[in-house]
Amino acid sequence: MEFDNSFEVPLPPAEAWKVLLDIKRVAPCMPGAELSEVIDANTYKGKINVRLGPVALTFAGLVKFEHVDAASYTARVTAQGTDAKGRGGANAASVFRLEPAASGSKVLVHTDLALSGAVAQFAACLKDKLAQQHAAAPAAAPIAPPSTRPSPPSTSSPAQAAKPISGVALIAKVIWNWFAGLFRHS
């Protein structure tokens, strides 16, 4: 799945760029994240704990800066991790770039995330259950008998039907919040 996000930081691009690339400095700001080894200037080992309701996952793996263009403040980062209990994995490729903004810099991020194993099955099952619940809800609503008196005119706007929640999107959002947290707390 692919998704985009952006946020602003109160530093000009040249200063924000240095902070964003300093993984040792940024990693401790993320709840549940731990940097365990610096392999080289662009490759890091670590783990992150993620909780999705009753499901607790610990992903351990590699994060690597595949491409860094300091002149245009653009970088491509790949991450690969597997759950410590063997329940699945995640692979992500993110491209982020900085551009000037009124408050300092705007960070724009495009992420392509793929889940595998039980993690992906959990997300697919959750998505199916939520979609089934949404489809069953209108059918299960009781039918009210017709009224003999006219109803008073409504002053409120009509209620809109709730959209089903995507389990995959929910997991993606948790991972995205973790990734964005790298930059917000610096």
Side-chain angles (χ1 to χ4, degrees), residues 43-109:
T43 310
Y44 307 87
K45 280 188 180 180
K47 66 180 182 178
I48 184 161
N49 298 308
V50 178
R51 188 156 196 76
L52 297 169
V55 179
L57 303 166
T58 299
F59 288 100
L62 288 173
V63 174
K64 183 172 186 167
F65 283 95
E66 296 285 335
H67 175 77
V68 177
D69 183 350
S72 66
Y73 301 122
T74 303
R76 175 180 162 77
V77 179
T78 57
Q80 171 277 318
T82 54
D83 177 59
K85 295 181 181 175
R87 295 176 289 189
N91 289 300
S94 294
V95 175
F96 67 88
R97 75 177 194 279
L98 294 174
E99 59 185 40
S103 66
S105 300
K106 185 172 187 176
V107 181
L108 299 121
V109 184

Coordinates of all heavy atoms in Angstrom, one line a residue, residues 43-109:
T43 N 23.4 2.6 7.1 CA 22.7 1.4 7.4 C 22.7 1.2 8.9 O 23.7 1.2 9.6 CB 23.4 0.1 6.7 OG1 23.6 0.4 5.3 CG2 22.5 -1.1 6.9
Y44 N 21.5 0.8 9.4 CA 21.3 0.7 10.9 C 20.4 -0.5 11.2 O 19.5 -0.9 10.4 CB 20.6 2.0 11.4 CG 21.3 3.2 11.0 CD1 21.0 3.9 9.8 CD2 22.2 3.8 11.9 CE1 21.6 5.0 9.5 CE2 22.9 4.9 11.5 CZ 22.6 5.6 10.3 OH 23.2 6.7 9.9
K45 N 20.7 -1.1 12.3 CA 19.9 -2.2 12.8 C 19.1 -1.7 14.0 O 19.6 -0.9 14.8 CB 20.7 -3.4 13.3 CG 21.2 -4.3 12.2 CD 21.8 -5.6 12.8 CE 22.3 -6.5 11.7 NZ 22.9 -7.7 12.2
G46 N 17.9 -2.2 14.2 CA 17.1 -1.7 15.3 C 15.8 -2.5 15.4 O 15.6 -3.5 14.7
K47 N 15.0 -2.1 16.4 CA 13.7 -2.8 16.5 C 12.7 -1.8 17.0 O 13.1 -0.7 17.5 CB 13.8 -4.0 17.5 CG 14.1 -3.6 18.9 CD 14.1 -4.9 19.8 CE 14.4 -4.5 21.2 NZ 14.4 -5.7 22.1
I48 N 11.5 -2.1 16.8 CA 10.4 -1.2 17.2 C 9.2 -2.1 17.7 O 8.9 -3.2 17.1 CB 9.9 -0.3 16.1 CG1 8.8 0.6 16.6 CG2 9.4 -1.0 14.9 CD1 8.6 1.9 15.8
N49 N 8.6 -1.7 18.8 CA 7.5 -2.4 19.4 C 6.2 -1.6 18.9 O 6.2 -0.4 19.1 CB 7.6 -2.4 20.9 CG 8.8 -3.1 21.4 OD1 9.0 -4.3 21.0 ND2 9.6 -2.5 22.2
V50 N 5.3 -2.3 18.4 CA 4.0 -1.8 17.9 C 2.9 -2.5 18.5 O 2.9 -3.7 18.6 CB 3.9 -1.9 16.3 CG1 2.6 -1.3 15.8 CG2 5.1 -1.2 15.7
R51 N 1.9 -1.8 19.0 CA 0.7 -2.4 19.6 C -0.5 -2.0 18.8 O -0.8 -0.9 18.6 CB 0.6 -2.0 21.1 CG -0.5 -2.7 21.8 CD -0.2 -2.6 23.3 NE -0.9 -3.6 24.1 CZ -0.7 -4.9 24.2 NH1 0.3 -5.4 23.5 NH2 -1.4 -5.7 24.9
L52 N -1.2 -3.1 18.4 CA -2.5 -2.9 17.7 C -3.6 -3.5 18.5 O -3.8 -4.7 18.3 CB -2.4 -3.5 16.3 CG -1.4 -2.9 15.3 CD1 -1.3 -3.8 14.1 CD2 -1.9 -1.5 14.9
G53 N -4.2 -2.8 19.4 CA -5.2 -3.4 20.3 C -4.6 -4.5 21.1 O -3.6 -4.3 21.8
P54 N -5.1 -5.7 21.0 CA -4.6 -6.8 21.8 C -3.3 -7.5 21.2 O -2.7 -8.3 21.8 CB -5.7 -7.8 21.7 CG -6.4 -7.6 20.4 CD -6.3 -6.1 20.2
V55 N -2.9 -7.0 20.0 CA -1.7 -7.6 19.3 C -0.5 -6.7 19.5 O -0.5 -5.6 19.2 CB -2.0 -7.8 17.8 CG1 -0.8 -8.4 17.1 CG2 -3.2 -8.6 17.6
A56 N 0.5 -7.3 20.1 CA 1.8 -6.6 20.3 C 2.8 -7.3 19.4 O 3.0 -8.5 19.4 CB 2.3 -6.7 21.8
L57 N 3.5 -6.4 18.6 CA 4.5 -6.9 17.6 C 5.8 -6.2 17.9 O 5.8 -5.0 18.3 CB 4.0 -6.6 16.2 CG 2.7 -7.1 15.8 CD1 2.2 -6.5 14.5 CD2 2.8 -8.6 15.6
T58 N 6.9 -7.0 17.7 CA 8.2 -6.4 17.8 C 8.9 -6.7 16.5 O 9.2 -7.9 16.2 CB 9.0 -7.0 19.0 OG1 8.4 -6.7 20.2 CG2 10.4 -6.4 19.0
F59 N 9.1 -5.6 15.7 CA 9.8 -5.8 14.4 C 11.3 -5.5 14.6 O 11.7 -4.5 15.2 CB 9.3 -4.9 13.4 CG 7.9 -5.2 12.9 CD1 6.8 -4.6 13.4 CD2 7.7 -6.2 11.9 CE1 5.5 -4.9 12.9 CE2 6.5 -6.6 11.5 CZ 5.4 -5.9 12.0
A60 N 12.2 -6.4 14.2 CA 13.6 -6.2 14.2 C 14.1 -6.2 12.8 O 13.7 -7.1 12.0 CB 14.3 -7.3 15.0
G61 N 15.0 -5.3 12.4 CA 15.5 -5.3 11.0 C 16.5 -4.2 10.7 O 17.1 -3.7 11.6
L62 N 16.5 -3.9 9.4 CA 17.5 -2.9 8.9 C 16.7 -1.7 8.4 O 15.7 -1.8 7.7 CB 18.3 -3.5 7.8 CG 19.3 -4.6 8.1 CD1 19.9 -5.2 6.8 CD2 20.4 -4.0 8.9
V63 N 17.4 -0.6 8.5 CA 16.9 0.7 7.9 C 18.2 1.2 7.1 O 19.3 1.2 7.7 CB 16.5 1.7 8.9 CG1 16.2 3.1 8.2 CG2 15.3 1.3 9.7
K64 N 18.0 1.5 5.9 CA 19.1 1.9 5.0 C 18.7 3.2 4.2 O 17.7 3.2 3.6 CB 19.5 0.8 4.1 CG 20.7 1.1 3.3 CD 21.3 -0.1 2.5 CE 22.6 0.3 1.9 NZ 23.3 -0.8 1.4
F65 N 19.6 4.2 4.2 CA 19.5 5.3 3.3 C 20.0 4.8 2.0 O 21.2 4.6 1.8 CB 20.3 6.5 3.8 CG 19.6 7.2 4.9 CD1 20.0 6.9 6.2 CD2 18.7 8.2 4.7 CE1 19.4 7.6 7.3 CE2 18.1 8.9 5.7 CZ 18.4 8.6 7.0
E66 N 19.1 4.6 1.0 CA 19.5 4.1 -0.3 C 20.1 5.2 -1.2 O 20.9 5.0 -2.0 CB 18.3 3.5 -1.0 CG 17.8 2.2 -0.3 CD 18.6 1.0 -0.5 OE1 19.4 1.0 -1.5 OE2 18.6 0.1 0.3
H67 N 19.5 6.4 -1.1 CA 19.9 7.6 -1.9 C 19.7 8.8 -1.1 O 18.7 9.0 -0.5 CB 19.0 7.6 -3.2 CG 19.3 8.8 -4.0 ND1 20.4 8.9 -4.8 CD2 18.6 10.0 -4.1 CE1 20.4 10.1 -5.4 NE2 19.3 10.8 -5.0
V68 N 20.7 9.7 -1.1 CA 20.7 10.9 -0.3 C 21.1 12.0 -1.3 O 22.3 11.9 -1.8 CB 21.5 10.9 0.9 CG1 21.5 12.2 1.6 CG2 21.1 9.8 1.9
D69 N 20.3 13.0 -1.5 CA 20.6 14.2 -2.3 C 20.5 15.4 -1.5 O 19.5 16.0 -1.4 CB 19.7 14.2 -3.6 CG 20.1 15.3 -4.5 OD1 20.9 16.2 -4.2 OD2 19.5 15.4 -5.6
A70 N 21.7 15.8 -0.9 CA 21.7 17.0 0.0 C 21.4 18.3 -0.8 O 20.8 19.2 -0.2 CB 23.1 17.1 0.6
A71 N 21.6 18.4 -2.1 CA 21.4 19.6 -2.8 C 19.9 19.9 -2.9 O 19.4 21.0 -2.9 CB 22.0 19.5 -4.2
S72 N 19.1 18.8 -3.1 CA 17.6 19.0 -3.2 C 16.9 18.5 -2.0 O 15.7 18.5 -2.0 CB 17.1 18.1 -4.4 OG 17.3 16.8 -4.2
Y73 N 17.6 18.2 -0.9 CA 17.0 17.8 0.4 C 16.0 16.6 0.2 O 14.9 16.7 0.6 CB 16.3 18.9 1.1 CG 17.2 20.1 1.4 CD1 16.9 21.4 0.9 CD2 18.3 19.9 2.2 CE1 17.8 22.4 1.3 CE2 19.2 21.0 2.5 CZ 18.9 22.2 2.0 OH 19.7 23.3 2.3
T74 N 16.5 15.6 -0.5 CA 15.7 14.4 -0.8 C 16.4 13.2 -0.5 O 17.6 13.1 -0.7 CB 15.3 14.4 -2.4 OG1 14.7 15.6 -2.7 CG2 14.4 13.2 -2.7
A75 N 15.7 12.2 0.1 CA 16.3 10.9 0.5 C 15.4 9.8 0.3 O 14.1 10.0 0.4 CB 16.8 11.0 1.9
R76 N 15.9 8.6 0.0 CA 15.1 7.4 -0.1 C 15.6 6.5 0.9 O 16.8 6.2 1.0 CB 15.3 6.8 -1.5 CG 14.6 5.4 -1.6 CD 14.8 4.8 -3.0 NE 14.5 3.4 -3.1 CZ 13.3 2.9 -3.1 NH1 12.2 3.6 -3.1 NH2 13.2 1.6 -3.2
V77 N 14.7 6.0 1.8 CA 15.0 5.1 2.9 C 14.2 3.8 2.7 O 13.1 3.8 2.4 CB 14.6 5.8 4.2 CG1 14.9 4.8 5.4 CG2 15.3 7.1 4.4
T78 N 14.9 2.7 2.9 CA 14.2 1.4 2.9 C 14.3 0.8 4.3 O 15.3 1.0 5.0 CB 14.8 0.4 1.8 OG1 16.2 0.2 2.1 CG2 14.6 1.0 0.4
A79 N 13.3 0.1 4.6 CA 13.3 -0.6 5.9 C 12.7 -2.0 5.7 O 11.8 -2.2 5.0 CB 12.4 0.2 6.9
Q80 N 13.3 -2.9 6.4 CA 12.9 -4.3 6.3 C 12.9 -4.9 7.7 O 13.9 -4.7 8.5 CB 13.8 -5.1 5.4 CG 13.6 -6.6 5.4 CD 14.3 -7.3 6.5 OE1 15.4 -7.0 6.9 NE2 13.6 -8.3 7.2
G81 N 11.8 -5.5 8.2 CA 11.8 -6.0 9.5 C 11.0 -7.3 9.6 O 10.0 -7.5 8.8
T82 N 11.3 -8.1 10.6 CA 10.5 -9.3 10.8 C 10.1 -9.3 12.3 O 10.8 -8.8 13.1 CB 11.2 -10.6 10.5 OG1 12.5 -10.6 11.3 CG2 11.5 -10.7 9.0
D83 N 8.9 -9.8 12.5 CA 8.4 -9.9 13.9 C 9.2 -10.9 14.7 O 9.5 -12.0 14.2 CB 6.9 -10.3 13.9 CG 6.3 -10.5 15.3 OD1 6.4 -9.5 16.1 OD2 5.9 -11.6 15.6
A84 N 9.6 -10.6 15.9 CA 10.4 -11.4 16.7 C 9.8 -12.8 16.9 O 10.6 -13.8 17.2 CB 10.7 -10.8 18.1
K85 N 8.5 -12.9 16.9 CA 7.9 -14.2 17.1 C 7.5 -15.0 15.8 O 6.8 -16.0 15.8 CB 6.6 -14.0 18.0 CG 6.9 -13.5 19.4 CD 5.6 -13.4 20.2 CE 5.9 -12.8 21.6 NZ 4.7 -12.6 22.3
G86 N 8.1 -14.4 14.7 CA 7.9 -15.1 13.4 C 6.5 -15.0 12.8 O 6.1 -15.8 12.0
R87 N 5.7 -14.0 13.2 CA 4.4 -13.8 12.8 C 4.3 -13.0 11.5 O 3.2 -12.8 11.0 CB 3.5 -13.2 13.8 CG 3.4 -14.1 15.1 CD 2.6 -13.4 16.1 NE 3.4 -12.3 16.7 CZ 3.1 -11.6 17.8 NH1 2.0 -11.9 18.4 NH2 3.9 -10.7 18.2
G88 N 5.4 -12.6 10.9 CA 5.3 -11.8 9.7 C 6.4 -10.8 9.6 O 7.3 -10.7 10.4
G89 N 6.2 -10.0 8.6 CA 7.2 -9.0 8.4 C 6.7 -7.7 7.7 O 5.5 -7.7 7.3
A90 N 7.5 -6.8 7.5 CA 7.2 -5.5 6.9 C 8.4 -5.0 6.0 O 9.5 -5.1 6.5 CB 6.8 -4.5 7.9
N91 N 8.1 -4.6 4.8 CA 9.1 -3.9 4.0 C 8.5 -2.6 3.6 O 7.3 -2.5 3.2 CB 9.3 -4.7 2.7 CG 10.1 -6.0 3.0 OD1 11.2 -6.0 3.5 ND2 9.5 -7.1 2.7
A92 N 9.3 -1.5 3.7 CA 8.9 -0.2 3.4 C 10.0 0.5 2.6 O 11.1 0.3 2.8 CB 8.5 0.6 4.6
A93 N 9.5 1.3 1.7 CA 10.4 2.3 1.0 C 9.8 3.6 1.1 O 8.6 3.8 0.7 CB 10.6 1.9 -0.5
S94 N 10.5 4.6 1.6 CA 10.0 5.9 1.8 C 10.9 6.9 1.1 O 12.2 6.8 1.2 CB 9.9 6.3 3.2 OG 8.9 5.5 3.9
V95 N 10.3 7.9 0.4 CA 11.1 9.0 -0.1 C 10.6 10.2 0.6 O 9.4 10.5 0.7 CB 10.8 9.1 -1.7 CG1 11.5 10.4 -2.2 CG2 11.3 7.9 -2.4
F96 N 11.5 11.0 1.2 CA 11.1 12.2 1.8 C 12.0 13.3 1.3 O 13.1 13.2 0.8 CB 11.2 12.1 3.4 CG 12.6 12.0 4.0 CD1 13.4 13.1 4.3 CD2 13.1 10.7 4.2 CE1 14.6 12.9 4.8 CE2 14.3 10.6 4.8 CZ 15.1 11.7 5.1
R97 N 11.3 14.5 1.3 CA 12.0 15.7 0.9 C 11.6 16.9 1.7 O 10.5 16.9 2.3 CB 11.8 16.0 -0.6 CG 10.4 16.5 -1.0 CD 10.3 16.8 -2.5 NE 9.2 17.6 -2.8 CZ 8.0 17.2 -2.9 NH1 7.7 15.9 -2.8 NH2 7.0 18.0 -3.2
L98 N 12.5 17.9 1.8 CA 12.2 19.1 2.5 C 12.0 20.2 1.5 O 12.6 20.3 0.5 CB 13.4 19.4 3.4 CG 13.7 18.5 4.5 CD1 15.0 18.9 5.2 CD2 12.6 18.5 5.6
E99 N 11.1 21.1 1.9 CA 10.9 22.3 1.2 C 10.6 23.4 2.2 O 10.1 23.2 3.3 CB 9.8 22.2 0.1 CG 8.4 21.9 0.7 CD 7.4 21.7 -0.5 OE1 7.7 21.1 -1.5 OE2 6.3 22.1 -0.3
P100 N 11.0 24.7 1.8 CA 10.8 25.8 2.7 C 9.3 26.0 3.0 O 8.5 25.7 2.2 CB 11.4 27.0 1.9 CG 12.2 26.4 0.9 CD 11.7 25.1 0.6
A101 N 9.0 26.4 4.2 CA 7.7 26.7 4.7 C 7.7 27.9 5.6 O 8.8 28.3 6.1 CB 7.1 25.5 5.4
A102 N 6.5 28.5 5.8 CA 6.4 29.7 6.7 C 7.0 29.4 8.1 O 7.7 30.3 8.6 CB 5.0 30.1 6.8
S103 N 6.8 28.2 8.6 CA 7.3 27.9 10.0 C 8.7 27.4 10.0 O 9.3 27.1 11.0 CB 6.4 27.0 10.7 OG 6.4 25.7 10.0
G104 N 9.3 27.2 8.8 CA 10.7 26.6 8.7 C 10.8 25.7 7.6 O 11.2 26.1 6.5
S105 N 10.4 24.4 7.7 CA 10.5 23.4 6.6 C 9.3 22.5 6.6 O 8.7 22.2 7.7 CB 11.7 22.5 6.8 OG 12.9 23.3 6.8
K106 N 8.9 22.1 5.5 CA 7.8 21.1 5.3 C 8.5 19.8 4.9 O 9.3 19.8 4.0 CB 6.8 21.6 4.3 CG 5.6 20.7 4.2 CD 4.5 21.3 3.3 CE 3.3 20.4 3.3 NZ 2.2 21.0 2.6
V107 N 8.2 18.7 5.6 CA 8.7 17.4 5.3 C 7.6 16.7 4.5 O 6.5 16.5 5.1 CB 9.1 16.6 6.5 CG1 9.7 15.3 6.1 CG2 10.1 17.4 7.4
L108 N 7.9 16.3 3.3 CA 6.9 15.5 2.5 C 7.4 14.1 2.4 O 8.6 13.9 2.0 CB 6.7 16.1 1.1 CG 6.2 17.6 1.2 CD1 7.2 18.5 0.5 CD2 4.9 17.7 0.6
V109 N 6.5 13.1 2.7 CA 7.0 11.7 2.7 C 6.0 10.9 1.9 O 4.8 11.0 2.0 CB 7.0 11.2 4.1 CG1 7.5 9.7 4.1 CG2 7.8 12.0 5.0

